[in-house]
């Protein structure tokens, strides 16, 4: 996993029932795919410890009832009360602009696979965010850091494919 960071997706609010189920409060600003959530990390004494999910029922986008493997009693469940639930930041869908800042250093390709440049800076303005790129010929250009322009992110190769409007780069040069 390397230096993957973790993102808090919620915390354990209280026990639920007597079979070790837990009521969790979810952070609605973090987008993740609950169907792909087989495990989460619980921050126990500052260390992320993996817990596998037997069952998860969403009551609403900010509340869920979770049953973890090996947590089968109310006593075990009570020990987890108040603990933060984390997932690796690599599991995050790029909905939340916070994570766009992690893309500094990525190479940007246009949809035709031509290299646009390397992201050297990320800036957020009141209404929109931009990436500053250095083009292959050394020029600095600004492009919108907008989810709808991002086609694909390859975190292992540090590549970002974007669908950039025709002529956008030329405007900068």
């Amino acid at each position: 996993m390397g230096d993957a960071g973790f993102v808090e997706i919620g915390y354990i609010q209280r026990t639920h029932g007597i079979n070790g189920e837990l009521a969790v409060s979810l952070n609605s600003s973090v987008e993740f795919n609950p169907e792909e959530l087989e495990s989460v990390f619980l921050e126990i004494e500052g260390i992320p410890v993996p817990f596998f999910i037997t069952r998860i029922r969403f009551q609403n986008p900010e509340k869920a009832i979770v049953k973890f493997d090996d947590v089968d009693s109310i006593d075990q469940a009570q020990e987890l009360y108040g603990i933060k639930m984390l997932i690796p930041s690599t599991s995050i869908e790029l909905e939340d602009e916070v994570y766009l800042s992690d893309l500094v250093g990525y190479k940007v390709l246009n949809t035709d696979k031509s290299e646009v440049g390397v992201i050297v800076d990320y800036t957020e303005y009141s209404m929109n965010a931009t990436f500053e790129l250095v083009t292959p010929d050394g020029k600095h250009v600004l492009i919108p850091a907008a989810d709808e322009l991002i086609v694909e992110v390859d975190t292992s190769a540090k590549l970002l494919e974007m669908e950039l409007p025709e002529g956008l780069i030329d405007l900068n040069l």
Side-chain angles (χ1 to χ4, degrees), residues 27 51 170:
N27 176 350
F51 276 75
D170 310 331

Side-chain angles (χ1 to χ4, degrees), residues 8-161:
E8 184 180 339
I9 59 165
Y11 66 94
I12 295 171
Q13 230 175 356
R14 56 186 166 74
T15 59
H16 180 83
I18 55 168
N19 299 320
E21 287 189 311
L22 294 154
V24 298
S25 171
L26 297 170
N27 176 350
S28 60
S29 68
V30 177
E31 298 274 341
F32 59 95
N33 183 344
E35 280 79 58
E36 290 173 7
L37 211 57
E38 291 166 8
S39 65
V40 293
F41 290 79
L42 298 184
E43 192 176 86
I44 298 174
E45 294 174 18
I47 297 164
V49 178
F51 276 75
F52 286 89
I53 295 174
T54 313
R55 199 169 52 251
I56 185 163
R57 296 194 311 275
F58 288 86
Q59 296 176 307
N60 63 46
E62 292 173 15
K63 286 240 185 328
I65 303 297
V66 178
K67 170 73 176 75
F68 292 116
D69 288 5
D70 305 326
V71 178
D72 301 312
S73 71
I74 194 161
D75 293 341
Q76 288 174 306
Q78 270 171 332
E79 288 177 27
L80 301 173
Y81 171 81
I83 285 183
K84 290 179 185 173
M85 278 177 39
L86 312 169
I87 58 174
S89 49
T90 51
S91 317
I92 298 290
E93 295 171 10
L94 283 172
E95 300 288 19
D96 197 323
E97 66 271 335
V98 178
Y99 304 106
L100 292 170
S101 57
D102 294 341
L103 299 173
V104 171
Y106 278 54
K107 184 181 286 187
V108 176
L109 303 178
N110 214 332
T111 42
D112 63 5
K113 304 292 187 222
S114 62
E115 184 182 336
V116 181
V118 174
I119 300 172
V120 291
D121 197 14
Y122 169 78
T123 312
E124 248 175 88
Y125 298 101
S126 57
M127 290 308 288
N128 48 27
T130 62
F131 289 133
E132 181 181 341
L133 304 183
V134 174
T135 63
D137 55 6
K139 294 190 173 66
H140 285 251
V141 296
L142 293 177
I143 61 169
D147 291 337
E148 56 272 16
L149 298 178
I150 294 174
V151 179
E152 196 177 345
V153 179
D154 181 342
T155 48
S156 56
K158 289 206 166 218
L159 288 176
L160 181 65
E161 187 181 326

